[in-house]
Amino acid sequence: DETSAALAVNLIRTRRADCIMKGLISTDILLKALLNKDTGILKRGHVLTHIGAMKIPTYNKMLFVSDSAVIPFPTLQQRIEMIKYAINVCHNFGIEQPRIALIHCTEKISPKFPITIDYQQIVDMAKKGLFGNAIIDGPIDVKCACSKNAAEIKGINSPINGLADVLIMPDIEAANAFYKALTTFLDTDIADALQGAECPVVLTSRSDSSAVKFDSLAMACLTC
């Protein structure tokens, strides 16, 4: 497995391939090869992060979620990079002004939840135009981010307006549980890719269907 991962990374380094797709090896082994300081392909100054694209039957648009596979507890700077990648992916999908929701269990900013302080800094950055043409708001819960009716009932006045394109999750535990709940209990079409490397990296589960793997390859080609 280690040899396969190293060979795949070397094909990218020598410009003999355009993307990498994880096969029947564990994610840890592939990530180790990607992040190797001497032979890896992480872009200098970048972070490696995961973005999932979902078409949910009960939602009227594509929904992108980050990060359910790589970064356990994102720092402020890592989260900023995650948002930049998400914006770029949305642009590749033809979404000119993505609405990005910073997800939490409450809409209140409180020292009890330090992540909400980070969210406040990110929102202030967005208002100054530091993320370009994107609408960013939070903290906000998933329901209000994706349901205008729920936000109105709770009295939440947010520019997301229940029409989120991207959910930036607080940590990998929340993101992974959300991701797997949708794919287990709903007929959700999904695609996955890592961002931040010198090429797109398809990171599907070994148990995913051929359709998921095909769609993930298409997503990789779209984001090259």
Side-chain angles (χ1 to χ4, degrees):
D1 289 354
E2 288 82 359
T3 301
S4 296
L7 286 172
V9 169
N10 184 255
L11 287 173
I12 298 298
R13 288 174 61 90
T14 54
R15 302 293 186 266
R16 289 181 288 161
D18 298 305
C19 69
I20 291 176
M21 181 175 187
K22 184 173 84 75
L24 299 178
I25 66 175
S26 73
T27 298
D28 289 346
I29 290 174
L30 178 57
L31 291 180
K32 186 176 180 180
L34 295 172
L35 298 172
N36 186 291
K37 291 183 179 180
D38 298 318
T39 60
I41 55 172
L42 180 66
K43 292 180 181 178
R44 184 179 298 275
H46 287 233
V47 300
L48 195 67
T49 188
H50 174 271
I51 296 180
M54 301 182 175
K55 188 66 182 72
I56 307 167
T58 54
Y59 199 51
N60 64 356
K61 56 162 67 176
M62 289 284 293
L63 186 66
F64 300 87
V65 179
S66 186
D67 176 327
S68 65
V70 179
I71 305 176
F73 302 101
T75 63
L76 173 60
Q77 190 56 46
Q78 286 174 328
R79 207 177 299 279
I80 288 170
E81 295 302 313
M82 289 164 59
I83 292 170
K84 290 179 179 178
Y85 293 143
I87 291 171
N88 184 60
V89 169
C90 284
H91 288 167
N92 288 329
F93 274 79
I95 303 170
E96 294 183 5
Q97 188 184 52
R99 296 171 185 257
I100 300 173
L102 308 176
I103 299 301
H104 201 253
C105 61
T106 176
E107 286 76 31
K108 296 180 180 180
I109 297 171
S110 169
K112 293 181 179 179
F113 297 109
I115 190 175
T116 64
I117 307 299
D118 286 355
Y119 283 175
Q120 186 178 34
Q121 292 186 57
I122 292 170
V123 171
D124 288 342
M125 291 172 64
K127 289 178 179 178
K128 294 176 183 177
L130 299 181
F131 291 98
N133 189 22
I135 296 172
I136 304 176
D137 196 31
I140 188 170
D141 69 21
V142 171
K143 199 166 186 177
C144 291
C146 299
S147 169
K148 184 176 181 179
N149 183 58
E152 288 177 348
I153 291 173
K154 290 183 68 174
I156 303 299
N157 183 21
S158 169
I160 299 297
N161 203 28
L163 297 169
D165 296 294
V166 179
L167 305 183
I168 299 295
M169 291 298 197
D171 55 43
I172 197 171
E173 294 170 341
N176 194 272
F178 176 82
Y179 179 94
K180 290 182 177 176
L182 286 180
T183 55
T184 300
F185 299 111
L186 286 175
D187 187 21
T188 301
D189 294 326
I190 61 171
D192 302 272
L194 296 184
Q195 304 293 311
E198 293 180 13
C199 72
V201 180
V202 174
L203 195 73
T204 54
S205 169
R206 282 167 284 180
S207 62
D208 279 335
S209 68
S210 57
V212 171
K213 294 174 182 179
F214 181 86
D215 288 345
S216 296
L217 281 171
M219 179 179 177
C221 292
L222 193 62
T223 57
C224 276

